[in-house]
Amino acid sequence: MAAISEWGHFLDSMRNSDEPHTELTQRTQKWMNSDRFAHIRRHYTAADISVLMSSIDLITPSHYMTQKLYKQLRTNFNNRTAMPTYGALDNIQMINSTKYLPAIYVSGW
């Protein structure tokens, strides 16, 4: 229980010392309220996240791939269809199957 209270004090001190996080907090809140996360229950707020985020806005290629996968899964859900996939065991299998399948399950990568 002491660790939780220390964490709360840390967040409070960060929140009080750094006011420019309001825009970041609003963007984080908008992201948390998006359709993708509508049914997620959180025990923290967007302000808790924004004080811990880096000031450098880093977007990696995986960001775009997760958006593409989510849209495809949402489309399949709405149309009541399935998406064929393949469990790749190595990178050669993965590369060869990308021509034929919309999604590949890669475990442990």
Side-chain angles (χ1 to χ4, degrees):
M1 207 56 170
I4 293 173
S5 115
E6 289 172 12
W7 179 250
H9 292 305
F10 171 73
L11 289 176
D12 287 339
S13 68
M14 291 294 287
R15 200 177 294 120
N16 294 335
S17 68
D18 206 359
E19 282 303 314
H21 281 285
T22 21
E23 182 186 339
L24 183 59
T25 301
Q26 290 171 349
R27 283 191 290 144
T28 305
Q29 187 63 51
K30 182 180 175 186
W31 179 75
M32 289 169 67
N33 291 341
S34 68
D35 180 49
R36 181 175 179 180
F37 303 107
H39 303 289
I40 302 294
R41 195 181 245 179
R42 292 182 170 84
H43 301 287
Y44 47 87
T45 66
D48 294 339
I49 294 171
S50 67
V51 297
L52 299 173
M53 290 176 73
S54 172
S55 60
I56 300 171
D57 208 8
L58 179 66
I59 296 181
T60 62
S62 62
H63 169 76
Y64 298 108
M65 295 307 294
T66 58
Q67 287 181 340
K68 181 179 175 183
L69 178 62
Y70 175 73
K71 288 177 185 174
Q72 182 65 46
L73 291 173
R74 179 54 60 188
T75 301
N76 288 350
F77 178 78
N78 292 336
N79 296 336
R80 305 260 187 230
T81 58
M83 182 171 30
T85 187
Y86 177 76
L89 299 175
D90 63 17
N91 56 353
I92 302 300
Q93 287 180 340
M94 181 188 69
I95 291 168
N96 288 333
S97 60
T98 56
K99 300 175 222 170
Y100 309 106
L101 298 171
I104 301 170
Y105 174 74
V106 184
S107 175
W109 285 29

